[in-house]
Amino acid sequence: MILHCAQFELALKRPHVMGIVNVTPDSFSDGGQYVHTSAAVEHALALVEQGADILDVGGESTRPNATPVPLQEELNRVIPVIEALARHVQVPISIDTYKPAVMVEAIRAGATIVNDVRALQEAGAMEAVAASDVGVCLMHMQGTPQTMQDDPAYTDVVAEVKSFLASRAEACLQAGIAKKRILLDPGFGFGKTRAHNIRLIQELASLQDLGYPLLVGLSRKSVLGQVTGQDVDARLHASVAAAVISVMKGANIVRVHDVKATVEALKVVAAIA
Ligand code: 7PJ
């Protein structure tokens, strides 16, 4: 399984850890701590020290009910961070956005992966990625961040997520995006109840049939709060457990806040496997 992202060719022979770099004052977690460019960059460099294989920079919170961030504000948050990181780190930088204009500017600034919770469905997003040589993560979401947790409903959550991801990957291939540039993500917490999320983790391995690398983001998410009764800032242990299980079920990349703990846990998985 490989992921091609511009000058990087990730073999994905071992699970990769994507460290989350939020540049969002209203983020669901870490919010307000890394609002300023220098603080975000410093945090990102620390994540690389801890063993992050990829950095995921985001400037708009996609937590349930979050207020959308205007384009210019999102650019102001993420572009200086990406520019600085591109100069200072050797790992691929991902941009977490669904806005084509942010994708274009982020790629210009040095991002080599587009991580899109809307799976390139926004007008112009597919073209922005196709015109470049970056990797792309296509994520499943039911509804929009404003409404997705209102009443998520599926006949068969695994089958529906799988067929959505297959059709978005196919749309990418049609647009001229090479297969090796594509990553798929079931989108934990995005229009899913606790039961839907649990079912998707149980059946994660079935998404491997699609033939693309899988990315999983469960770090600090509310399903872990529902299971443990812990607030967002006390979900470290639950998040590490979720990352370990995800990898054992076939995830190639885990997107996490707590890089050091995750890297150590995955070393234990590798030693035993
Ligand atoms: C995800 C993401 C995820 C991908 C967020 C949070 C919410 N991108 N961006 N997958 N989640 N690919 O981190 O809690 O699960 S933002």
Side-chain angles (χ1 to χ4, degrees):
M1 214 46 98
I2 71 154
L3 178 68
H4 174 94
C5 29
Q7 71 268 34
F8 299 96
E9 198 87 25
L10 307 182
L12 301 179
K13 287 197 173 73
R14 56 169 180 85
H16 279 42
V17 173
M18 171 186 268
I20 299 170
V21 182
N22 282 323
V23 202
T24 51
D26 68 337
S27 186
F28 151 71
S29 75
D30 277 352
Q33 270 169 275
Y34 303 110
V35 182
H36 303 293
T37 304
S38 61
V41 170
E42 212 169 296
H43 181 63
L45 296 177
L47 297 184
V48 172
E49 281 296 303
Q50 292 168 27
D53 299 294
I54 303 168
L55 293 170
D56 188 39
V57 177
E60 178 179 29
S61 172
T62 42
R63 69 177 173 186
N65 305 313
T67 28
V69 175
L71 171 63
Q72 193 55 51
E73 169 66 14
E74 188 175 342
L75 289 168
N76 293 345
R77 291 178 187 179
V78 298
I79 299 304
V81 173
I82 294 168
E83 281 174 349
L85 290 176
R87 283 195 304 269
H88 291 105
V89 302
Q90 301 291 330
V91 302
I93 299 160
S94 155
I95 173 68
D96 186 346
T97 191
Y98 60 85
K99 293 181 185 133
V102 177
M103 294 173 189
V104 169
E105 289 305 314
I107 292 166
R108 215 194 307 278
T112 59
I113 300 175
V114 166
N115 171 26
D116 184 359
V117 299
R118 296 194 184 172
L120 304 183
Q121 293 180 103
E122 206 75 4
M126 184 72 78
E127 292 78 359
V129 171
S132 74
D133 189 32
V134 302
V136 61
C137 180
L138 306 170
M139 199 197 78
H140 174 274
M141 166 163 56
Q142 184 178 88
T144 67
Q146 287 69 46
T147 61
M148 65 190 180
Q149 291 309 112
D150 289 354
D151 189 20
Y154 301 84
T155 308
D156 178 340
V157 67
V158 177
E160 288 168 51
V161 166
K162 196 168 171 177
S163 106
F164 172 84
L165 294 176
S167 86
R168 295 311 299 155
E170 187 53 38
C172 284
L173 298 177
Q174 291 298 320
I177 298 170
K179 181 171 186 211
K180 65 180 179 181
R181 296 172 56 196
I182 301 170
L183 265 174
L184 303 179
D185 180 344
F188 288 100
F190 287 84
K192 282 131 191 140
T193 63
R194 169 180 174 162
H196 295 140
N197 288 305
I198 298 288
R199 188 100 198 95
L200 279 167
I201 304 171
Q202 288 171 331
E203 300 298 324
L204 189 68
S206 92
L207 297 180
Q208 289 179 303
D209 301 346
L210 296 169
Y212 293 89
L214 301 176
L215 186 150
V216 163
L218 276 161
S219 185
R220 302 185 187 174
K221 283 197 175 161
S222 68
V223 61
L224 303 180
Q226 289 160 350
V227 170
T228 60
Q230 294 290 354
D231 287 345
V232 62
D233 292 325
R235 295 178 189 160
L236 167 64
H237 311 90
S239 298
V240 171
V244 164
I245 292 164
S246 300
V247 164
M248 292 181 77
K249 289 197 176 276
N252 302 94
I253 302 177
V254 285
R255 180 182 177 277
V256 305
H257 300 86
D258 303 288
V259 169
K260 183 172 189 285
T262 306
V263 166
E264 285 181 9
L266 294 181
K267 281 183 180 169
V268 175
V269 175
I272 294 164

